[in-house]
Amino acid sequence: METNMELNVKVEAKERKYRLLRNMLGMLTKNKAALIGLIIIILLIIVAVMGKFFMPYNPYDGNLSQSLQAPSSAHVLGTDEQGRDILSRIIDGTKISLRVGVTSVAIALSIGTLIGSIAGYYGGKIDMLLMRIMDIILAFPSLLLAIAFMSVLGKGIDKAVIAISIVTIPEYARIVRSCILTVKENEYVQAAKVIGNNDATIIFKHILPNVMSPIIVRATLGVSTAILETSALGFLGLGVQPPLAEWGSMLGAGRGYFYNAPHIVLFPGIAITITVLAFNLFGDGLRDALDPKLRK
């Protein structure tokens, strides 16, 4: 049976969490740039989930007699070199870009959190070994390293997810490690050790929940980076393969027609820019909202 004091403590803790959540949401909604970014992200998710209801044409049906048409009432954003509707392909490509971005970040975040937690909590030789491996990966430009992995793994959307995940693991590992180093000597961690909690419980139940703010912010910003790298791989012909409508591969296929039909490159480029900007704006606003100094 819980005593009245224990119940009061739990109630106060819940109230404090709700109060912090309300303050955070209040700051986030007051940040117009972050709010715009969030609205765009929500719209992108809606388009990705319900895209087939917004497509005026089948994104994979082409008509060579209508190739390279400029924007018109029949084709709002024009047609590509195979006579396919660009608007329909951009809408269809939304789910691919978001899928690759979110999935690669989720994989990198999971593995990076595990590596950073082990390195930060145990320290010593384990920390040195794991961090040196992370430093080796960070020594290479992420896009070049992703290209190298793609050359080994092969082409395709799943291979792109794996390559992008691998090259971004060190970023999350270093963030998690630094966060754990700052709190692992705190009193509540020592108390958890004294009462007999094992290391896994201490790390994942007591430490990580208290250092999630910078991790969440980095993951949000990481989605935009992953989308950019996906587009770069697609542009080079290494990522998502035709006939799938991916924004980077659309840029790569249309670059040869830039002077004759610039809309082929312009509109996929705008889609990439808006998506990346939306995640960056929301990530910056989320960082400010989760900063306790700014909340005060």
Side-chain angles (χ1 to χ4, degrees):
M1 295 293 293
E2 293 182 322
T3 64
N4 290 333
M5 182 176 294
E6 291 174 337
L7 289 173
N8 290 335
V9 170
K10 288 187 176 181
V11 170
E12 290 178 0
K14 288 183 178 179
E15 290 179 351
R16 185 165 59 252
K17 288 181 180 179
Y18 289 139
R19 186 166 58 251
L20 290 174
L21 181 60
R22 286 196 301 269
N23 292 339
M24 183 193 73
L25 292 176
M27 280 200 64
L28 196 58
T29 54
K30 290 178 182 178
N31 189 326
K32 293 182 179 180
L35 194 57
I36 292 172
L38 178 59
I39 292 173
I40 295 174
I41 292 172
I42 293 173
L43 292 176
L44 288 170
I45 294 172
I46 293 174
V47 170
V49 175
M50 305 178 64
K52 61 181 180 180
F53 299 106
F54 302 103
M55 295 178 192
Y57 300 93
N58 187 313
Y60 302 106
D61 287 346
N63 185 347
L64 292 177
S65 64
Q66 298 182 3
S67 62
L68 303 180
Q69 286 191 358
S72 63
S73 58
H75 298 279
V76 178
L77 301 184
T79 60
D80 64 7
E81 72 282 0
Q82 297 185 29
R84 297 171 297 191
D85 184 68
I86 292 178
L87 175 60
S88 300
R89 290 182 63 78
I90 289 176
I91 292 174
D92 191 60
T94 304
K95 65 183 178 186
I96 296 176
S97 295
L98 292 183
R99 172 189 167 190
V100 175
V102 173
T103 305
S104 59
V105 167
I107 295 173
L109 178 61
S110 302
I111 299 175
T113 298
L114 181 61
I115 294 174
S117 299
I118 294 173
Y121 185 78
Y122 291 104
K125 294 182 179 179
I126 296 177
D127 179 25
M128 181 176 294
L129 175 62
L130 292 176
M131 287 301 102
R132 294 300 76 77
I133 295 174
M134 297 298 102
D135 288 341
I136 291 172
I137 297 176
L138 285 173
F140 298 92
S142 59
L143 181 57
L144 292 180
L145 192 58
I147 292 173
F149 280 119
M150 291 296 294
S151 64
V152 175
L153 298 172
K155 301 176 181 180
I157 185 171
D158 296 333
K159 308 299 191 304
V161 169
I162 294 173
I164 295 172
S165 300
I166 293 174
V167 301
T168 52
I169 286 174
E171 298 179 16
Y172 299 103
R174 291 178 70 87
I175 291 173
V176 173
R177 173 183 176 271
S178 63
C179 291
I180 289 182
L181 287 175
T182 60
V183 302
K184 74 174 185 177
E185 301 300 332
N186 287 358
E187 293 180 356
Y188 69 88
V189 178
Q190 301 304 319
K193 292 180 180 179
V194 170
I195 63 177
N197 286 319
N198 57 43
D199 292 342
T201 301
I202 294 172
I203 292 173
F204 293 103
K205 185 177 180 180
H206 297 286
I207 296 180
L208 283 179
N210 290 290
V211 296
M212 287 303 296
S213 297
I215 300 172
I216 293 173
V217 172
R218 184 64 192 88
T220 304
L221 296 172
V223 174
S224 65
T225 303
I227 291 174
L228 270 179
E229 292 182 348
T230 303
S231 300
L233 292 174
F235 180 82
L236 296 172
L238 298 173
V240 179
Q241 296 300 297
L244 291 179
E246 192 272 323
W247 297 337
S249 62
M250 291 174 66
L251 283 174
R255 68 181 183 272
Y257 305 93
F258 179 77
Y259 294 104
N260 298 330
H263 63 276
I264 297 181
V265 177
L266 176 64
F267 294 118
I270 291 175
I272 295 171
T273 302
I274 291 175
T275 304
V276 171
L277 180 62
F279 277 99
N280 285 340
L281 290 176
F282 179 65
D284 289 340
L286 193 61
R287 178 193 58 203
D288 296 341
L290 291 173
D291 190 331
K293 295 179 181 178
L294 293 176
R295 280 205 305 269
K296 291 180 181 179

